[in-house]
């Protein structure tokens, strides 16, 4: 009887671990791409960006609004700026979690 109980616990633990791992993978999908700043709303911490395709997030290249995470320097986001941004998809849409000026060639 103890063996059967232990086996049931192992199967139950394995199942929940798979579920947790799957969920964690969904929440960490991110993409790093070149983006040009079109407009900025510093008060709302958002910017309209033209970005390259983001295959990791299932998005083609386009112009759209992004939220800007609290720890990202808003001074980088000026109309006309060329940036390399890392974005994640969250409950509120796309959020830039890292940004740096695009290297000049």
């Amino acid at each position: 009887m103890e063996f059967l109980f232990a086996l049931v616990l192992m199967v139950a633990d394995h199942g929940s671990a798979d579920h947790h791992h799957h969920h964690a993978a969904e929440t960490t999908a991110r993409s790093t791409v070149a983006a040009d700043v079109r407009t900025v709303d510093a008060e709302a911490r958002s910017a309209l960006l033209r970005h390259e395709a983001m295959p990791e997030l299932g998005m083609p290249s386009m112009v759209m609004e992004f939220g800007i995470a609290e720890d990202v320097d808003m001074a980088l986001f000026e109309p006309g700026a060329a940036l390399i941004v890392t974005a994640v998809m969250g409950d509120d849409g796309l959020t830039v979690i890292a940004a740096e000026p695009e290297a000049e060639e």
Side-chain angles (χ1 to χ4, degrees):
M1 184 71 166
E2 286 179 36
F3 174 74
L4 182 59
F5 181 69
L7 184 60
V8 168
L9 282 179
M10 283 178 17
V11 170
D13 285 346
H14 181 69
S16 64
D18 281 352
H19 176 73
H20 179 72
H21 176 72
H22 181 66
H23 180 70
E26 285 178 354
T27 60
T28 57
R30 64 182 63 206
S31 186
T32 301
V33 296
D36 297 327
V37 180
R38 298 296 174 98
T39 62
V40 179
D41 183 341
E43 191 173 310
R45 291 196 66 85
S46 67
L48 188 66
L49 304 177
R50 183 198 56 78
H51 65 82
E52 294 178 338
M54 300 175 145
E56 301 87 350
L57 302 175
M59 302 192 73
S61 61
M62 66 177 84
V63 176
M64 63 180 297
E65 187 170 341
F66 287 74
I68 312 298
E70 290 293 324
D71 59 346
V72 174
D73 184 3
M74 281 298 294
L76 294 170
F77 292 84
E78 294 185 11
L83 303 174
I84 300 295
V85 299
T86 300
V88 295
M89 181 63 79
D91 293 337
D92 297 327
L94 285 167
T95 300
V96 173
I97 60 168
E100 63 185 43
E102 188 173 1
E104 293 184 21
E105 296 181 20

